[in-house]
Amino acid sequence: MDENSKKVFENPEKLGRIADETDAIVDKVIERVKSYSPNANTDMIYVAYRVAKAAHKGQNRKSGEPYIIHPVQIAYIASELSMDSVAICAGLLHDVIEDTPYTYDDIVTLFGSNVAEIVDGVTKLKMIQYTDQQEEQVENLRKMFFAMSRDIRVIIIKLIDRLHNMRTLDFQPKEKQLSVAKETLDVYAPLAHRLGISRIKSELEDLALKYLDPVAYAEINESVTRKKNEREDFVAKIIEKLNERLTQDGIKCTISGRTKHYYSIFRKMYAQNKSIDEIYDLFAVRVIVDTVSDCYAVLGAVHDMYTPLPMRFKDYIAMPKPNMYQSLHTTVVGNDGTPFEIQIRTWDMHKVAEEGIAAHWKYKEGKSGVNSMDKELEWVHSLMETQSGIMDADQFMNSLKIDMFSDQVFAFTPKGKVIPLPNGSTVIDFAFAIHSQVGSKMIGAKANGRIVPNTYKLINGDIIEILTSPQAKGPSHDWLKIVKTSQARTKINQWLKREKRDENIIHGKDMLEKEARRVNIPFNSLFREEWLSVFLKKYTLSGMDDLYASVGFGGLSAQKVVMHLREEYLKEQKKSAPKDTRPTHAVRRKNNTSGIEVKGIDNCLVRLSKCCNPVPGDDIVGFITKGRGVSVHRADCPNIQSGALSEEDKNRFIIVNWCGEKSKSYVATLRVEADDATGVMMRITSVIADMGIECVSINARKMKNKTSVMTFGLEISDTDDLKRAITRISQISGVSEVKRTTN
């Protein structure tokens, strides 16, 4: 038991006080639920609390406090979001299946199937961890979206669970704090944003920043606190003037001021390369009125009182954000020359802005069937549909970030229908967003009446007309390089897969045969039924023709398939190799200073190729050179791809493996793209030094788009070191991309 635990459990008085506090919190939860849902079954909430309290008896958190505090806090936050009694009961019980003797059937018996299914769904989501095993993460994310599509309450409870865990993250080890904070910023905060729950999204981002960049967090906190009185006086004067004017105009309203949350300030500082003193809209004034017409009336009064800044007005009422957010935003200049933002919305819009999808909760009213919530969850079903066809883990994560987390651009059809798409989308994306048939029959496009190329990127307000023809040849592979959305990419791949299946089968088989030759393993020895069956099942392929077709149209890479089968082949070779029965004292081998074992050859000259710098953990192949022994390359090295070799060279590959202790160091090169801001390189080198990794070379150059590209040569022992370095550098403020290079 740690010191914190001792302090609680050796103090019965404190333990009793905590028990009284949890009872009081649950009473507040029940009181709150009755206020917004008078007919709710609050007795069930009280019973769920008693069951959870008994089930978790004797368990404690890292802080040393009784575990029951955690589910009680989740229930309290859920009541703040006006969740129904079923969801609140599930929040209280969300850990009992995993951590106590209670089973799913027990929950069904006591509280019904609805509560049990949410508890079970949240329990399964416990498996979701941010990890370098990207395929595992992708499968867990798929499960999360599936759970969302069945009952959105599962993910809302999970978000609340994560919020309370972030609030108490101080008690976790440093490494755990960083991994949880990174996962929160990468997955959970964007998910809360996509669901429109800004109060959770903002706090998750701020708490993640606190652990990922404590220096920046402290700087922002100190600056905001230092100018608190000055800011409050400024906002009070604005509120007073607005109240006076709107009262004269007969508009009933509530006006308040707020500081932007810390992560929002942080992003602006590093995106614009400014200090906090140079960020002018640190705060906003919010006006809440009764009707939509009042919103526009307030906007007119505001622009009459203050000078609006050009290009800083946004009408999210006419064109709501995909997460249901509606409001008018305008930035104006005060009488003293200080710019500030004003947000104008109705009370209903305000509730949606704060609570998102929870503000439309149909279950608490006992409704069923298709209604506004079902429409607002269409994006989840669409996301599942478009992502289901993506097999490659990297492609899945990239498309997910685009479809779910990127900014939006709004374009119009000639009939005035608004089509929201991720920023950077092209006219091809627009065509497939209208309908797959429109996309497949597309022969061109017009933007605002003018013919534009297929590569044209949409701009807010564009009127796009898609030109089609029954004789259209259909999508080409080149379109896959142009489109931005996974919806368009999936539809194009489906068309190519369906219309050119025979061609894809031939092409795919040829690619796999070439890849097998490249790794110097006979095709028939590699593609064995017992090894393939697991692979085919994993990617839901019905047979070899499906596999060939998938490789042929780009759904799977030939290299990935062969590398998977090569592992099985090497295991088999190792098992069948004859055992050495000679006495151990008779076996004398020269020390392997390269860390490489060449199959079938002892004591040959081995060197690591400098064109790709392989390190332990990489998939490698050997290449027999003329007079210089065996050159070891990474399996993905461009210099040994089939297209770069002659027919004679393709027969000079040999199987090699890593061996020996991690005593040798290797050099790997990382390419880092970052904002062209002072201090980024210093922060990167500082992180590298903190990890105990030696940096043997540094190079940097400025790009035209105001970014910097830096390369770092790192001396490491294996790929685990490299992955840790990539993860840590990716977390640095201002860094947009980190990847390993082949030179």
Side-chain angles (χ1 to χ4, degrees):
M1 186 179 293
D2 61 26
E3 290 302 316
N4 285 320
S5 301
K6 289 179 181 177
K7 288 176 184 177
V8 173
F9 288 97
E10 289 175 2
N11 188 340
E13 182 182 344
K14 184 173 182 180
L15 188 58
R17 188 167 67 251
I18 289 173
D20 291 340
E21 287 173 0
T22 56
D23 289 347
I25 292 171
V26 172
D27 289 340
K28 287 181 181 178
V29 169
I30 291 173
E31 184 180 343
R32 188 187 294 272
V33 172
K34 286 180 177 178
S35 70
Y36 61 74
S37 184
N39 298 323
N41 185 355
T42 52
D43 289 342
M44 182 170 67
I45 295 174
Y46 188 76
V47 173
Y49 166 58
R50 288 299 172 189
V51 169
K53 193 173 184 178
H56 291 297
K57 186 176 181 180
Q59 297 177 358
N60 59 287
R61 306 195 81 210
K62 290 283 186 181
S63 63
E65 295 176 323
Y67 194 87
I68 188 61
I69 286 177
H70 175 59
V72 165
Q73 286 294 331
I74 288 177
Y76 185 79
I77 298 170
S79 71
E80 288 185 312
L81 291 174
S82 303
M83 298 294 288
D84 65 333
S85 56
V86 169
I88 291 173
C89 286
L92 286 164
L93 300 165
H94 78 281
D95 277 333
V96 297
I97 292 179
E98 182 183 22
D99 297 335
T100 78
Y102 280 86
T103 65
Y104 174 86
D105 291 335
D106 293 333
I107 305 301
V108 172
T109 302
L110 291 169
F111 302 100
S113 59
N114 284 342
V115 173
E117 285 174 8
I118 297 174
V119 172
D120 186 53
V122 175
T123 301
K124 288 175 179 175
L125 293 183
K126 289 283 183 181
M127 295 184 296
I128 299 177
Q129 297 293 330
Y130 191 86
T131 168
D132 288 331
Q133 302 299 318
Q134 204 170 29
E135 284 195 14
E136 181 182 346
Q137 185 191 11
V138 165
E139 288 308 309
N140 286 330
L141 285 171
R142 289 190 204 272
K143 291 174 186 175
M144 182 167 71
F145 294 130
F146 178 71
M148 287 168 63
S149 69
R150 293 185 64 184
D151 193 330
I152 196 67
R153 289 175 291 189
V154 172
I155 200 61
I156 294 177
I157 294 299
K158 180 61 183 175
L159 285 172
I160 297 171
D161 177 42
R162 174 51 58 101
L163 176 60
H164 188 249
N165 283 332
M166 286 297 294
R167 287 176 177 177
T168 56
L169 199 57
D170 277 343
F171 299 98
Q172 294 289 350
K174 183 68 176 177
E175 186 177 343
K176 179 77 169 178
Q177 289 176 351
L178 290 173
S179 65
V180 172
K182 183 71 166 64
E183 180 188 35
T184 298
L185 200 58
D186 283 350
V187 177
Y188 288 99
L191 186 55
H193 173 68
R194 193 61 181 80
L195 292 172
I197 313 175
S198 65
R199 62 197 302 177
I200 289 182
K201 173 248 188 188
S202 299
E203 189 174 351
L204 286 176
E205 287 179 336
D206 286 354
L207 289 169
L209 176 63
K210 176 183 174 183
Y211 294 99
L212 294 175
D213 197 335
V215 175
Y217 182 89
E219 178 188 344
I220 295 170
N221 182 56
E222 191 274 332
S223 181
V224 169
T225 304
R226 186 178 69 247
K227 296 187 176 182
K228 182 180 179 182
N229 293 335
E230 177 185 333
R231 184 179 63 254
E232 287 178 349
D233 290 342
F234 181 82
V235 171
K237 290 176 182 177
I238 293 171
I239 292 175
E240 183 181 356
K241 287 185 177 180
L242 275 175
N243 257 323
E244 184 180 337
R245 171 62 184 268
L246 298 179
T247 301
Q248 288 176 2
D249 292 349
I251 300 173
K252 183 182 176 183
C253 63
T254 299
I255 309 176
S256 61
R258 67 173 186 89
T259 303
K260 287 185 178 293
H261 68 284
Y262 289 4
Y263 185 72
S264 176
I265 297 171
F266 171 81
R267 287 206 311 177
K268 283 202 169 190
M269 287 172 62
Y270 287 96
Q272 300 174 14
N273 192 21
K274 293 181 178 179
S275 69
I276 190 169
D277 293 327
E278 295 175 294
I279 304 295
Y280 58 77
D281 52 349
L282 288 179
F283 55 89
V285 174
R286 181 174 293 153
V287 183
I288 306 177
V289 295
D290 293 333
T291 66
V292 172
S293 60
D294 283 346
C295 290
Y296 290 98
V298 171
L299 178 67
V302 168
H303 284 181
D304 184 42
M305 296 171 64
Y306 303 101
T307 303
L309 285 179
M311 309 298 292
R312 296 285 296 176
F313 167 66
K314 295 176 183 177
D315 188 345
Y316 293 120
I317 293 179
M319 290 188 292
K321 291 185 178 183
N323 63 2
M324 304 171 290
Y325 179 88
Q326 287 184 287
S327 189
L328 298 176
H329 289 196
T330 184
T331 301
V332 296
V333 180
N335 296 331
D336 62 350
T338 303
F340 61 95
E341 184 181 68
I342 292 185
Q343 300 172 357
I344 309 164
R345 63 181 67 150
T346 66
W347 284 105
D348 287 341
M349 293 173 191
H350 180 63
K351 188 172 179 63
V352 172
E354 293 295 302
E355 300 174 8
I357 205 160
H360 290 268
W361 204 249
K362 67 180 179 183
Y363 299 97
K364 69 183 179 189
E365 297 174 358
K367 297 180 181 178
S368 60
V370 177
N371 62 9
S372 61
M373 176 171 284
D374 296 306
K375 292 178 182 177
E376 281 139 12
L377 288 177
E378 283 178 0
W379 68 271
V380 179
H381 297 280
S382 175
L383 189 68
M384 287 181 62
E385 179 185 346
T386 55
Q387 302 293 341
S388 62
I390 300 176
M391 300 177 183
D392 186 77
D394 291 326
Q395 187 183 343
F396 179 94
M397 291 304 296
N398 290 335
S399 64
L400 180 65
K401 289 175 183 177
I402 291 168
D403 285 355
M404 190 171 167
F405 305 150
S406 66
D407 291 332
Q408 299 283 307
V409 61
F410 299 91
F412 298 85
T413 67
K415 293 184 178 180
K417 182 180 178 182
V418 180
I419 305 292
L421 289 164
N423 195 23
S425 295
T426 66
V427 288
I428 300 178
D429 293 292
F430 186 92
F432 280 99
I434 295 172
H435 197 279
S436 58
Q437 286 299 314
V438 175
S440 61
K441 298 295 182 183
M442 175 180 172
I443 57 171
K446 288 183 179 181
N448 308 313
R450 294 183 179 182
I451 295 289
V452 294
N454 288 347
T455 54
Y456 177 81
K457 292 184 179 180
L458 304 177
I459 300 171
N460 270 324
D462 275 348
I463 299 174
I464 304 297
E465 180 184 354
I466 302 298
L467 308 176
T468 61
S469 169
Q471 285 76 44
K473 294 181 180 179
S476 70
H477 281 93
D478 290 336
W479 286 19
L480 294 171
K481 302 172 185 176
I482 299 171
V483 295
K484 178 82 170 179
T485 62
S486 62
Q487 180 186 17
R489 184 171 284 104
T490 299
K491 297 297 182 184
I492 292 169
N493 273 326
Q494 286 174 350
W495 191 92
L496 293 172
K497 183 179 179 181
R498 182 178 63 252
E499 301 295 330
K500 298 188 177 183
R501 179 173 171 80
D502 292 342
E503 183 181 320
N504 289 330
I505 290 173
I506 295 170
H507 183 51
K509 185 176 181 182
D510 183 55
M511 291 172 68
L512 289 169
E513 288 176 343
K514 286 180 179 178
E515 186 65 20
R517 286 197 299 272
R518 188 182 69 78
V519 299
N520 201 31
I521 303 176
F523 184 85
N524 291 335
S525 299
L526 199 60
F527 284 77
R528 287 168 52 174
E529 185 177 346
E530 61 267 33
W531 299 338
L532 275 168
S533 59
V534 176
F535 191 85
L536 295 175
K537 184 178 180 181
K538 179 179 180 181
Y539 291 101
T540 61
L541 300 169
S542 60
M544 287 300 294
D545 280 354
D546 263 7
L547 176 62
Y548 294 149
S550 294
V551 173
F553 76 80
L556 280 171
S557 72
Q559 183 185 24
K560 184 171 188 174
V561 175
V562 169
M563 283 300 107
H564 173 84
L565 298 174
R566 178 175 176 267
E567 288 180 13
E568 300 298 326
Y569 176 83
L570 293 176
K571 289 178 187 175
E572 175 91 353
Q573 294 295 105
K574 191 173 183 180
K575 288 180 184 176
S576 59
K579 294 182 179 179
D580 193 344
T581 56
R582 290 177 297 171
T584 54
H585 65 269
V587 179
R588 297 181 59 86
R589 292 183 183 270
K590 185 178 177 180
N591 289 335
N592 191 333
T593 58
S594 67
I596 298 292
E597 177 185 55
V598 182
K599 183 179 179 182
I601 303 176
D602 288 335
N603 302 329
C604 71
L605 178 64
V606 176
R607 65 184 181 86
L608 300 178
S609 173
K610 292 185 178 179
C611 64
C612 56
N613 290 329
V615 301
D618 285 331
D619 287 327
I620 53 175
V621 293
F623 184 80
I624 302 172
T625 64
K626 296 177 180 178
R628 290 182 296 156
V630 175
S631 174
V632 179
H633 295 257
R634 277 167 45 191
D636 59 354
C637 177
N639 290 336
I640 59 166
Q641 301 302 311
S642 57
L645 301 173
S646 66
E647 288 301 320
E648 179 187 353
D649 287 341
K650 290 177 183 177
N651 297 319
R652 292 162 62 188
F653 286 102
I654 191 167
I655 296 174
V656 293
N657 294 295
W658 295 105
C659 67
E661 300 294 326
K662 291 185 182 180
S663 56
K664 185 176 173 62
S665 62
Y666 305 81
V667 175
T669 306
L670 292 185
R671 180 185 184 276
V672 181
E673 186 169 329
D675 296 339
D676 188 13
T678 304
V680 174
M681 181 179 285
M682 182 179 67
R683 289 195 291 271
I684 293 172
T685 53
S686 176
V687 165
I688 292 170
D690 287 345
M691 295 180 67
I693 295 175
E694 185 173 348
C695 187
V696 296
S697 65
I698 300 177
N699 187 26
R701 65 184 188 277
K702 290 186 178 181
M703 310 300 286
K704 291 181 180 179
N705 60 354
K706 294 184 179 180
T707 61
S708 292
V709 173
M710 296 163 272
T711 55
F712 297 86
L714 306 183
E715 200 169 79
I716 59 174
S717 60
D718 57 19
T719 52
D720 288 340
D721 283 350
L722 190 63
K723 288 175 182 177
R724 283 193 292 271
I726 290 173
T727 300
R728 290 286 302 278
I729 294 172
S730 298
Q731 296 168 357
I732 294 173
S733 309
V735 172
S736 55
E737 183 182 56
V738 184
K739 64 181 180 181
R740 184 180 177 188
T741 64
T742 55
N743 49 48

